[in-house]
Amino acid sequence: MTALADLPLDQRHLVAKMVTHLGPEFEGTFGRETIERFVVDSLGQLAPRAKVATYLPVLAEKFAKERLRALARVEGLAPTTTPSVLFLCVHNAGRSQMAAGWLRHLGGDGVVVWSGGSEPTSEINPAAVEAMAEVGIDIAQEFPKPWTEEIVRAADVVVTMGCGDACPLYPGTRYEDWELADPAGEDVEFVRVVRDDIRERVLALMASLGVEPVSG
């Protein structure tokens, strides 16, 4: 992981603010040093791909929060019976983001949802954003990010979508591989077909986990 001392002074100030924001949620679970370590590393992983640096602190804080929640789950510090699913593709810009959007929409609080990529790109596929908006699901605020060990280990189910050998494999984790057309570079008409295919697969996954749809 990247060390705080390796960051320029302005980024150290940003880290301090993010750690302060996250502190109340993880009080009694993780100390400030652990939170800081994950914030710094999340910032370091997202920075090389960021197209607009203005949004980087917000995205890094969100990413760090996801990772810390996953770590708490892995270490048994946040006992829960809620199933968790991680969607993985190459760029985390189209298929995995649409799948995560569908599962959050259909599953609500009945399931924990993550997504990631083996080679994340800099932004979500605009055609995927448009296609999902047509069915009332907003993924415009999501962002491509790499998969991380603690999130993979925290997932009850890992759904892979075309990342092949680059997708991580952990013993004891349930894996599903969905063969889906890649929407990268395609128009919204093409993406609609992929979107609807993903919806049906997500519903089948929910049924296998015993998660009832909360919306249509």
Side-chain angles (χ1 to χ4, degrees):
M1 287 190 173
T2 306
L4 180 65
D6 296 332
L7 298 179
L9 186 59
D10 60 334
Q11 290 193 8
R12 291 185 215 173
H13 290 314
L14 287 174
V15 167
K17 289 182 180 179
M18 288 186 270
V19 172
T20 299
H21 289 163
L22 293 172
E25 176 172 344
F26 298 102
E27 185 176 1
T29 304
F30 298 119
R32 183 179 179 88
E33 184 177 322
T34 299
I35 297 172
E36 181 181 278
R37 181 160 50 89
F38 274 81
V39 167
V40 170
D41 188 67
S42 297
L43 187 64
Q45 292 205 48
L46 296 181
R49 305 176 185 89
K51 288 191 79 171
V52 183
T54 306
Y55 304 127
L56 183 57
V58 174
L59 301 183
E61 183 176 324
K62 183 177 179 180
F63 189 29
K65 181 187 293 187
E66 289 185 356
R67 296 176 64 189
L68 287 163
R69 287 176 175 174
L71 183 63
R73 191 174 176 119
V74 169
E75 296 188 349
L77 301 174
T80 179
T81 58
T82 305
S84 56
V85 178
L86 168 62
F87 294 103
L88 290 177
C89 66
V90 178
H91 299 306
N92 191 216
R95 290 167 291 185
S96 57
Q97 292 285 1
M98 287 193 289
W102 271 124
L103 186 52
R104 291 189 183 103
H105 177 72
L106 295 168
D109 294 335
V111 61
V112 175
V113 186
W114 295 298
S115 71
S118 55
E119 299 177 18
T121 186
S122 60
E123 61 183 352
I124 301 293
N125 182 340
V129 173
E130 181 179 347
M132 293 300 285
E134 290 175 351
V135 292
I137 302 174
D138 183 7
I139 63 170
Q141 303 307 311
E142 298 300 326
F143 57 101
K145 52 200 169 298
W147 61 267
T148 63
E149 182 180 357
E150 65 282 342
I151 289 180
V152 179
R153 290 175 59 203
D156 295 309
V157 183
V158 176
V159 178
T160 60
M161 308 171 178
C163 49
D165 293 340
C167 285
L169 293 174
Y170 285 84
T173 300
R174 172 182 160 190
Y175 283 84
E176 290 190 12
D177 184 59
W178 292 359
E179 293 187 8
L180 295 163
D182 188 351
E186 303 290 349
D187 60 23
V188 71
E189 184 175 355
F190 180 96
V191 177
R192 288 188 190 110
V193 177
V194 181
R195 175 200 67 196
D196 295 344
D197 185 0
I198 290 174
R199 180 182 184 276
E200 296 309 308
R201 292 171 186 263
V202 165
L203 284 170
L205 175 62
M206 289 171 58
S208 75
L209 295 170
V211 178
E212 293 290 333
V214 297
S215 56

